[in-house]
Amino acid sequence: MKRVPSIKQLQYLLALHEHQHFGRAAEACYIGQSTLSAAIANLEETMNAQLLERDHKTFIFTPLGEDVVRQARYIVEQCEELTEFAKCQGKPMAGPLRLGCIPTIAPFVLSEVMALARERFPELQLLLREDTTENSLQSLIEGRLDLVLLALPYDTGTLHTEVLAQDPFKLVLHKDWLERGFQQDISQWPDESIFLLEREHCMTGHAVKACELDDNRKVNPFFATSLHTLSQMVNNKLGVTFMPQMAINSGLLRGTELVAQKPGSGQAYRDIGVAWRPTSSKLRSYRQMAQLITEVLQQKCSD
């Protein structure tokens, strides 16, 4: 019988690639460093290939090693899904489902998604993780997440994406500023009068595009870290901003003196969608979860 790598060896390889350190990888796998080192060496012997370039206490993955890591990630992912499939007796929406979500969506929809999922799918264990789009998609690619709820458009590579709803942007300003000319074309607004989120939040790019903020002079160079911080800055009459409808409908402006209006561009919105790996065996569950999330979004994003 032909020798093939074991799943355990591939898991050790993935841990080493993630941590880039034998000691930390061994600790993550709950084994000794020598055991991990021997397993990687045996894997190279089995495959008759050099996966690492070693130099005393340092190492790097060879180009072939990087390719093997990508294949190993897919194999381990399929084995894990097969185990979950068997435990749940092949039923969709049962067992653990790991959902990632970006910070400009998570606080406004996830509680309703959780409640609806518990009601309709009592056998489902919905696990949530909030992170930036870039980090969430990387976790999805590496098999640490099953689904990502995000704002589109965004370059997701080979991942499958589906748009679930449109989330309109609203101009948000202090009530005392209603007569200060912000009903005019944005080109007539004062320089540095628009406050936005930090660039790592993709909502900034979506707002810039959707609200036609072509003139960078209108955007203040000081960026907020969250929508809650942004609302407080505007409430203190530092400027105006654009916020998604779902945040406004969730009560973000409650307790402030802020008002929301339609921006000059009547088509200002961001798409809300989901992403998943097209190679996954959980597609039935993903589609049912996407349908459930859509129901929540229809309420949250209504104008």
Side-chain angles (χ1 to χ4, degrees):
M1 183 178 294
K2 189 174 182 180
R3 292 182 62 193
V4 295
S6 69
I7 298 300
K8 186 67 69 177
Q9 287 175 326
L10 297 182
Q11 289 175 321
Y12 292 163
L13 181 70
L14 293 179
L16 183 60
H17 188 268
E18 177 182 355
H19 295 280
Q20 294 293 314
H21 187 275
F22 272 94
R24 290 192 293 270
E27 184 177 350
C29 296
Y30 302 100
I31 59 174
Q33 184 171 330
S34 59
T35 301
L36 178 69
S37 181
I40 299 299
N42 289 337
L43 177 61
E44 290 180 307
E45 181 182 350
T46 298
M47 302 182 74
N48 191 26
Q50 183 183 10
L51 306 180
L52 304 177
E53 290 183 17
R54 299 169 176 82
D55 181 16
H56 300 294
K57 294 185 178 181
T58 64
F59 71 90
I60 61 171
F61 277 78
T62 64
L64 176 60
E66 294 286 351
D67 291 337
V68 170
V69 164
R70 283 189 285 272
Q71 290 292 322
R73 185 173 291 123
Y74 172 75
I75 293 170
V76 170
E77 171 197 323
Q78 292 297 308
C79 288
E80 290 174 348
E81 290 189 1
L82 178 62
T83 301
E84 292 178 8
F85 181 83
K87 286 181 179 178
C88 300
Q89 301 179 359
K91 295 184 294 185
M93 299 301 279
L97 192 149
R98 301 158 297 177
L99 174 65
C101 190
I102 63 176
T104 56
I105 297 177
F108 313 117
V109 302
L110 289 189
S111 60
E112 287 84 351
V113 168
M114 286 282 286
L116 196 56
R118 282 197 304 269
E119 175 187 333
R120 294 188 182 174
F121 307 105
E123 296 182 68
L124 180 70
Q125 182 185 9
L126 185 58
L127 305 173
L128 307 177
R129 178 168 182 171
E130 181 179 331
D131 208 336
T132 63
T133 305
E134 181 179 0
N135 291 343
S136 296
L137 291 178
Q138 188 60 38
S139 295
L140 180 62
I141 291 170
E142 294 176 358
R144 296 195 297 271
L145 291 174
D146 295 303
L147 278 170
V148 171
L149 180 58
L150 74 167
L152 298 169
Y154 195 93
D155 184 8
T156 59
T158 59
L159 295 170
H160 174 80
T161 59
E162 289 189 8
V163 174
L164 306 182
Q166 290 182 344
D167 188 20
F169 281 108
K170 290 297 178 64
L171 169 64
V172 174
L173 69 166
H174 196 279
K175 65 180 183 180
D176 293 345
W177 284 26
L178 289 173
E179 304 302 325
R180 296 188 62 170
F182 288 99
Q183 294 83 9
Q184 303 175 22
D185 186 87
I186 291 179
S187 63
Q188 304 300 314
W189 293 8
D191 289 348
E192 300 186 358
S193 61
I194 303 171
F195 283 87
L196 298 172
L197 291 178
E198 289 179 332
R199 296 292 182 180
E200 68 178 14
H201 294 282
C202 61
M203 198 194 84
T204 293
H206 293 145
V208 167
K209 182 177 180 181
C211 300
E212 301 178 358
L213 304 180
D214 298 325
D215 190 348
N216 290 332
R217 293 175 301 175
K218 307 304 178 185
V219 178
N220 196 289
F222 188 87
F223 294 95
T225 56
S226 70
L227 286 174
H228 288 85
T229 304
L230 194 60
S231 66
Q232 291 305 311
M233 292 167 62
V234 177
N235 196 45
N236 280 278
K237 302 182 182 181
L238 299 178
V240 302
T241 191
F242 293 95
M243 287 192 178
Q245 187 71 52
M246 69 164 61
I248 297 171
N249 287 349
S250 297
L252 184 64
L253 306 187
R254 193 175 298 129
T256 71
E257 296 186 292
L258 300 177
V259 294
Q261 300 180 337
K262 284 189 176 182
S265 174
Q267 299 299 316
Y269 64 87
R270 60 176 182 168
D271 287 325
I272 308 298
V274 288
W276 64 67
R277 297 180 304 278
T279 55
S280 175
S281 61
K282 297 181 178 180
L283 298 185
R284 289 176 61 196
S285 292
Y286 297 167
R287 295 195 180 281
Q288 290 188 50
M289 178 54 66
Q291 184 177 357
L292 183 148
I293 294 173
T294 300
E295 292 183 38
V296 175
L297 290 175
Q298 287 174 345
Q299 297 178 354
K300 288 292 185 176
C301 298
S302 60
D303 201 339

